[in-house]
Each structure stands twice: as C-alpha cells, then as structure tokens.
Amino acid sequence: MTTTLDAPARPETGDGTLERPPFRRKREPLPIAALWVIVCALIACLFLFPLVMVALTSVKTPAEAVASPPTVFPTQLSFDNFVHLWNAGSGLAVYLGNSLSVSLMTVVFTLVLSTLAGYGLARMPFKRRSLVFLLLLAPMMVPLQALLTPLYVTLLNLHLNDSLLGLAFVYTVSQVPFGTFVMRNAFAAIPAEIEEAAWVDGCGILGGAWRVSLRLVGPGIATVALFAFFTAWNEFLAALVLLSSDDRFTVPVLLQNLTTGKFGTIDWGMLQVGVLVTSIPCIAIFLLLQRYYVEGLLAGSVKS
C-alpha cells in the first residue's frame, strides 16, 4: 500500500482565496557579496580619480602644475588660475552664457522635433512608416565632423553664420535622430487604450497626446534632454569652425585659445580649472535626472 504526503495547507484570505506565499529574494553568499562590493568600489575609484586630480591641479601654482615628476597634493594653495580664467577675454561669464544659451536652445528644439516625430511614428498608421523611421535614423551613421562644410555653407546662405542660433540648429540636426528613436520607443511602450479612453472623454488626438501620453513619457524626455544638453555644452569642433567672433565663443573654444602659451606650451592649471568649471553643471544635472535617464533608455525594450 502506498501513502501520499499532503502539501501543507496555505491559509485563506478574507475573500476565500488562498494567500500567496511571500517572495523571498535569494541571498548571495557573504564572500561573493563582499567581492562584488570591492569590485564596484575599485571601479568607482577608477572613475573618480581623474576628477580628483583635476580638482587638485586647479589649486596648484603654474610652476607646480607642470613640475616633473608631478606632485599629487599641492604644496601651496593658489587660486590664481580661477582669477585668470574668470577675467580671460570678454570674461568667463560671457562664455558661460553663450554655452548655456546654445545648450538650452538645442534642448528645446530637439525635444519639440523628437517628440512630434516619435509620437507620429508610434501612433500614426501610414504607409512606409518603418522606412521613414530608418531614414530618420540614417544620419546617426554620419559623424557631425563630416557635415561641417555643407552645414557652414547652409548657415552662410541663411545668414546664420557666426551666430549662437545657427550653432544650436547644427547641434539639433545631430541630436534629432537619437531623440526620435528614444521618444518613439517611449510612446510605443504606453498602451493605446489610455489615449482611446481620453478620446471617449472628449479629447482629440492632440489633446490626448498633450494631456495623457506626454505626461507618461517623462523618462524619455529627460533622456533626450540630457543627451542634447551634454552634446551642446561639451562640443568643440563645430563651435570652433562656425563661430568667429570672440564674444560668441563657447567655453570649450575659450579654453583652447587660452591654454596655449608661448612655443605651444599648455597652461595646465588654467586648463584644469576650465575642465572643473564645465564639469560641475553636467555632473549636477546628471545626478538629478539619472533615474529618469535609465528609465528612458529602457523604455520600450520589453513588451508588457
């Protein structure tokens, strides 16, 4: 005679259904967890070390900044590099304002065009939609440096050469393909039934997109805005080629002009101060929006 072992009965909830057993996350063994923490700490130190060296070099005297062998910690604190950079040319505030103006215009133009294109490709059924999407992504395969000559001629014909607005248009052209890709995936990840419910309540297509869908694609918008801002803030070659007036230079162009001294020598102290000044806004913005940035990159990667 065979006997069977009955499984332990699960307690019932108030409505008569069986209570679901609690999910328990499998814990890693202690040595593996400790090794993982050590590896992550070493990688973090590897990325933080250049930033720490930039900060230390920025407060060294010019002689100590080019000393050989180099010193890690400054023997004498000096803030002359900050003063020289602030008073350079038309003033650092002017060049920071130029960089900020170009970056903000690029972000606004890129968001408007990418959002409209992404929504149309994700929601509007039309023939050859996939082909149009591929054509929009095609410019991503062409580096911006290869297009500088035709872009310069185009801006010259539009009387936008040597202007911050023209430079913002150039950066927008380079960012719209990637922005369209991100926004299309972000809109495609939203169930169409949500917009259809808004249409039933009286919203039109534009009303449903503005009041419903646009509020659900915040991570995608943050991702596109971050990429556009970082590109416009840090880009050097296009600004060097398309701008000729000293009072319209961006910060990267200013640093290139100021750090080169007699016989091609480099003022490392001033260069590190410039790197530090230009890095602070990028680091601050990324830390504030990193959660949305990761969500925006993963939008549409898994279908629900």
Side-chain angles (χ1 to χ4, degrees):
M1 184 176 68
T2 60
T3 59
T4 59
L5 297 178
D6 295 333
R10 288 186 291 173
E12 296 183 355
T13 59
D15 56 357
T17 59
L18 295 178
E19 182 180 355
R20 187 175 182 179
F23 175 77
R24 295 181 179 179
R25 186 184 183 93
K26 184 179 179 181
R27 294 184 177 181
E28 296 289 345
L30 185 59
I32 297 180
L35 180 61
W36 178 250
V37 171
I38 293 174
V39 171
C40 292
L42 291 176
I43 295 176
C45 292
L46 182 64
F47 281 94
L48 288 176
F49 179 75
L51 297 177
V52 174
M53 292 303 300
V54 166
L56 292 176
T57 306
S58 64
V59 294
K60 292 180 180 179
T61 61
E64 189 177 2
V66 296
S68 182
T71 58
V72 178
F73 298 98
T75 57
Q76 179 183 357
L77 293 179
S78 175
F79 296 95
D80 293 340
N81 294 321
F82 291 87
V83 176
H84 294 161
L85 182 62
W86 180 260
N87 297 325
S90 301
L92 181 61
V94 174
Y95 303 107
L96 286 174
N98 294 340
S99 293
L100 185 61
S101 299
V102 173
S103 301
L104 293 180
M105 286 190 292
T106 302
V107 170
V108 173
F109 297 157
T110 303
L111 283 178
V112 172
L113 296 176
S114 300
T115 302
L116 294 175
Y119 182 83
L121 291 170
R123 288 287 188 264
M124 304 295 181
F126 56 89
K127 294 182 179 180
R128 305 291 188 270
R129 182 170 60 175
S130 299
L131 179 60
V132 173
F133 181 57
L134 291 177
L135 292 177
L136 285 175
L137 296 183
M140 295 178 62
M141 297 182 290
V142 182
L144 178 63
Q145 293 79 4
L147 301 175
L148 285 180
T149 300
L151 287 174
Y152 179 83
V153 175
T154 302
L155 293 179
L156 188 63
N157 294 329
L158 295 175
H159 304 287
L160 290 175
N161 58 310
D162 192 22
S163 69
L164 300 181
L165 180 61
L167 184 62
F169 284 157
V170 171
Y171 292 153
T172 302
V173 169
S174 66
Q175 290 301 303
V176 164
F178 174 78
T180 302
F181 172 78
V182 173
M183 295 307 298
R184 174 184 177 273
N185 292 341
F187 282 115
I190 301 175
E193 291 79 5
I194 297 179
E195 287 189 24
E196 293 174 358
W199 298 345
V200 173
D201 291 338
C203 290
I205 296 179
L206 294 179
W210 175 260
R211 298 181 180 181
V212 179
S213 297
L214 195 62
R215 301 185 181 186
L216 299 177
V217 293
I221 292 176
T223 301
V224 176
L226 279 175
F227 270 89
F229 183 87
F230 291 160
T231 298
W233 183 266
N234 297 315
E235 207 281 330
F236 165 72
L237 185 58
L240 178 66
V241 173
L242 300 177
L243 299 176
S244 57
S245 300
D246 179 76
D247 58 346
R248 292 188 178 93
F249 286 160
T250 56
V251 176
V253 179
L254 169 70
L255 296 179
Q256 170 63 25
N257 293 338
L258 291 181
T259 55
T260 304
K262 295 181 179 180
F263 306 108
T265 58
I266 299 177
D267 189 345
W268 290 106
M270 186 179 295
L271 179 61
Q272 301 307 319
V273 171
V275 172
L276 185 64
V277 170
T278 55
S279 299
I280 291 177
C282 296
I283 295 174
I285 294 175
F286 179 78
L287 292 178
L288 291 174
L289 301 178
Q290 62 174 339
R291 179 168 63 91
Y292 303 100
Y293 168 75
V294 176
E295 293 178 5
L297 288 179
L298 297 178
S301 59
V302 179
K303 292 185 178 180
S304 58

